[in-house]
Amino acid sequence: MRQLKIVRMETSLNGIRNLMFDLGGVIIDLDRQRCVDALVALGDFHADELLGLSMQKGEFMKLEEGKISATDFYNEMRRRIGRPVSDNEITDAINELLIGIPVEQLRLLRELKQHFKVMLLSNTNSIMFDTKIADCFAQEGLSVSHYFNDIFLSYRLKACKPHAEIFEKVIAQAQIIPEETLFFDDSQQNLDTAAALGFKTYLVTPDRDILSFFKTNR
């Protein structure tokens, strides 16, 4: 594994052949409190301890790391809640984290794919990815695979950001050169790991989203 050394620089598209996007907070809008409230309504009064925006905790984290199955997760949530609730009720509650994807960003991804190799790298889980996330990408009558050349998900790779391991796996599987790859994420910790491995990076914030970046970098 490469030795990590933090490098910061101005972001541009000069020399960039690959674009890699985080999902939550970058492409899909999030509302953490809405998810906490939904889980509390089911009876998990300690739901706040499980949820972050860039990284989850406890059994939620194990699900996103691919260490437990969806069935294991549902059973653990029922134990936490302390009463019988259905898989669908739990799915609906955790999906409250996801607000949606502005259709303008879907159009942007399709346009970018004509000029770059476009990749997704997300800490996520099979439950959310196969339900609400899939629905969000279906707005134009397409599926998530139409918007990306490669899709890298933590539960499939058995590793999560910000750990270097997940980036090393992406480099190997996508056969990309980090220095030719611009990575967009809303977590500075994730970006620091990526930059240390050679990636160019861009911190997404509410006033520095991907739409504004590409409007000024055509």
Side-chain angles (χ1 to χ4, degrees), residues 88-216:
N88 286 340
E89 287 178 292
I90 296 169
T91 296
D92 290 345
I94 65 173
N95 276 337
E96 286 296 310
L97 178 65
L98 311 170
I99 298 174
I101 303 174
V103 70
E104 294 86 355
Q105 293 194 165
L106 293 177
R107 294 173 184 150
L108 172 64
L109 290 172
R110 285 194 288 106
E111 179 186 349
L112 293 174
K113 199 178 171 193
Q114 298 176 37
H115 307 284
F116 300 90
K117 182 173 185 175
V118 178
M119 298 171 287
L120 176 68
L121 174 60
S122 177
N123 287 355
T124 190
N125 58 78
S126 60
I127 297 171
M128 298 171 79
F129 193 77
D130 292 339
T131 55
K132 183 66 176 288
I133 293 172
D135 290 344
C136 290
F137 276 102
Q139 293 179 76
E140 298 185 300
L142 304 173
S143 68
V144 61
S145 61
H146 287 92
Y147 297 96
F148 303 99
N149 298 100
D150 288 309
I151 296 172
F152 298 103
L153 308 175
S154 59
Y155 74 93
R156 295 178 182 171
L157 293 176
K158 303 293 193 295
C160 282
K161 296 176 289 180
H163 303 299
E165 178 186 7
I166 193 168
F167 294 99
E168 295 280 6
K169 289 183 176 182
V170 169
I171 293 167
Q173 292 184 25
Q175 297 184 318
I176 56 173
I177 298 172
E179 290 78 7
E180 296 177 349
T181 306
L182 177 55
F183 176 45
F184 297 82
D185 201 295
D186 62 334
S187 164
Q188 187 62 57
Q189 188 177 16
N190 294 342
L191 295 177
D192 286 345
T193 302
L197 292 170
F199 288 88
K200 306 298 191 299
T201 64
Y202 183 85
L203 178 65
V204 176
T205 66
D207 59 345
R208 298 175 75 244
D209 62 12
I210 60 174
L211 289 172
S212 62
F213 174 83
F214 286 102
K215 282 180 182 176
T216 58

Side-chain angles (χ1 to χ4, degrees), residues 17-32:
R17 300 178 62 184
N18 317 299
L19 301 172
M20 187 163 70
F21 297 91
D22 176 36
L23 182 57
V26 174
I27 294 173
I28 192 165
D29 295 327
L30 304 178
D31 189 332
R32 178 184 179 277

